[in-house]
Amino acid sequence: MKHKIYPMFFSVVLVICLIIGTLGNLIRYSGIAVLVVTLILFLTAHIFAGGINQLSVKRVKWIVGIGLIAMFIGQIVILSVMPNTVYHDPYRVLSQADQMAAGHMTWGITYFWRYANNVPLAYLMSLWLQLTQLFHLSANVAIHTLSILVLDVFIVLSLWTIWQLSHRKSLLIGATAFFVLTPFAYTYYLQVFYSDLPSMLILLLIMRIMMQWPGKSQKHHLVTGIGLVFISTLGMLIKSNIIVLVPALMIIVFILWYKKLLKQSKLLLPTVLIIFGFGLSVPATHGIYQASHFHTETKYEFPVSHWILMGANAQHKGMYNGKDVHRAVQQPDKKVRQQYDLKEIPKRFEKLGVGGTVKLWVVKLGILLNVRDIQDWYNGGYRSAPNWYQQMAQPIKVIVILSYTAATIALWFTLILRLLSWRPDFKNSQQVVAVLAVVASLGYLAFHTLLWETETRYGQVILPLIWFTLAAIPVPETDRKRLFTNLQVLAVPSLITLCFVSLGFAIGLSLEHPKNMVISAQRSQLSAQYQAKPFMLIPGKQMTEDVDLNGHANYFSVQIHAGSRVHVVLENKQTQRRYQMYRAGYVYRLHKNIQPGNYRIVIKNISQKNQAVDVTKTYHYQLSNHPLVINGKKDKYASLVYTCLLRYKGGSTTNS
């Protein structure tokens, strides 16, 4: 048999993408620290691998089990002690789900008419909330339960898949450490429920079914096939970019056909079932529209070309752009928006030229694979984190950046070395699915780099594919592997070095580059841009809300409403000292040193006419620690929109 000399083309392209992603994570002030920690982590992990592989399977299971239990306890503590304030898209979806679960099938804001892709997610979440109401769970507990359930199932299933594919104890322990000891299980995916994590779980389930399909019986295929269709439909309903699996599957089918291995692989049928499931999402979406009483409005709807237009905006690095959105909103309907986009897109690429376009793609790819800000994705800050956390928030923020970025790059670098030495055996079904994972990863990266707008969150969808590929590729016996085995005596010293170096960088960078810190906040809102209706405060009446400040602050703002004029003070409940807040646009602000304590926001209408105030209200989801009081009446499901910060000179805001 002829042996391939060079790596597979798709492997080389993925290696190049991961190198660009690595460089994108090494820019900004912490780049050198991330690089140093990554190198020490990479060496430490490989030195430990030999010793771990000598452990018994029983001991490895104990280590993994203890790690998962500790992780679960940590998750419960974080959600109980430090709930965060969710804002932007995830909150709007959550708010609509809460409303529908309460039996109100109405759509009061223009958000869903503009972004109808989130209607199925809101409807499915409402079904979950209705289910949990049978057990008398609050909406907060229900959403936290859903987050933990999806997150921990994803982690456990990932570990199980890694073990089934590789049977390498070191890789299993390494994956456990990645999930348990980094911010992955404790930040965005735990604190904010949105479409990203369910999409990753569905992608992992599809890869598992493809992996197991060739070795199963026809009876098993019947049951699994139905499940595969259902999962594929659900994946399209939740996040439609999973459609990139279709060209990836077509490429694999073509390769197998060309090598005359398609029949032997037995992967044609699951491929057809996946595509069939994607197709079923169209009638399923219409069914959800009818069940939820949703109808599209072309007056507000954005065409697909709008996201391509933003992706071609080099001034904003191909990311979400408010100016492009504002221009689209000003146009009368979807058809006119699409006509504008189709004229503007070629102009943007023509202006960029070949060199500028390639540069834009490289920049977008670097953003897409940037994982540094995982703690800040859709996180408006903790409602009121405890004092002990406030004291250590700055170094903790740096540790979050260092740990997750270093772990991700170390994972990528390990995969890069494996990809460069891998020559796929297409007679091996496990390796065929690994090739599918590589091609699907490239599909996601190409979609958001060459075509769509990009964000740092989007690249995380390939994480299950990365782990799957790493576990599926056979490990060659190399001199490098034997070298790390000989260095096992350095295992403990390298681990100690890793801890002290990371801690040193965390303290040093937090002192040199302090970030503005959220002390207390409630930033969830439906937003005036989506025509959310404000509360009308009648003359002579007032509304109040208590706020707990567990750390020193020097900035406080309360969002009122554009054009409104009211009297706003912040009152210390212990000392009765009152701070007058001044108007700045649609918010009222206070720039003054504020001591920790219990405070009360007081808003009074001293004018002779009604004044609009932005109030966020839900049916069963509690937004803040204290109720909003309007004319003496308490409402624990309503809140003002406010932010309290500890600002530093030259500092940018962090949501820690």
Side-chain angles (χ1 to χ4, degrees), residues 295-480:
H295 60 277
T296 57
E297 288 279 357
T298 58
K299 178 181 177 181
Y300 302 103
E301 190 176 354
F302 281 10
V304 170
S305 55
H306 172 73
W307 283 268
I308 301 175
L309 179 73
M310 289 195 293
N313 191 327
Q315 290 183 338
H316 292 268
K317 302 177 182 178
M319 301 176 71
Y320 178 90
N321 177 238
K323 290 183 179 179
D324 282 336
V325 172
H326 180 71
R327 187 181 294 110
V329 170
Q330 299 303 311
Q331 293 163 340
D333 57 34
K334 180 181 177 181
K335 184 178 180 180
V336 176
R337 294 183 187 107
Q338 187 172 33
Q339 291 173 347
Y340 170 81
D341 294 342
L342 295 179
K343 289 180 181 179
E344 186 66 21
I345 291 169
K347 291 180 182 178
R348 291 189 175 182
F349 281 114
E350 184 178 351
K351 184 178 179 180
L352 287 172
V354 176
T357 300
V358 172
K359 180 182 177 182
L360 173 62
W361 288 345
V362 171
V363 170
K364 288 176 68 177
L365 184 58
I367 293 170
L368 183 62
L369 292 173
N370 194 309
V371 301
R372 295 164 44 89
D373 299 325
I374 185 172
Q375 187 173 7
D376 298 336
W377 296 339
Y378 287 136
N379 179 355
Y382 296 118
R383 290 184 192 170
S384 186
N387 181 261
W388 64 264
Y389 178 84
Q390 305 282 10
Q391 298 296 322
M392 299 187 293
Q394 293 290 349
I396 287 176
K397 174 68 176 179
V398 180
I399 289 174
V400 167
I401 294 173
L402 291 179
S403 60
Y404 194 61
T405 309
T408 300
I409 296 175
L411 170 63
W412 291 349
F413 192 55
T414 303
L415 179 62
I416 286 171
L417 295 177
R418 201 66 54 77
L419 287 172
L420 293 176
S421 63
W422 180 40
R423 307 297 181 266
D425 178 6
F426 284 91
K427 293 182 179 179
N428 184 311
S429 60
Q430 180 173 300
Q431 293 192 48
V432 171
V433 182
V435 175
L436 172 62
V438 170
V439 178
S441 297
L442 291 175
Y444 276 107
L445 298 179
F447 180 76
H448 287 288
T449 300
L450 309 180
L451 186 66
W452 216 248
E453 52 104 12
T454 192
E455 296 290 342
T456 53
R457 300 176 5 259
Y458 296 166
Q460 281 285 278
V461 71
I462 70 170
L463 182 64
L465 301 175
I466 294 292
W467 277 112
F468 189 97
T469 305
L470 183 59
I473 296 177
V475 181
E477 182 66 32
T478 63
D479 293 336
R480 174 173 53 83

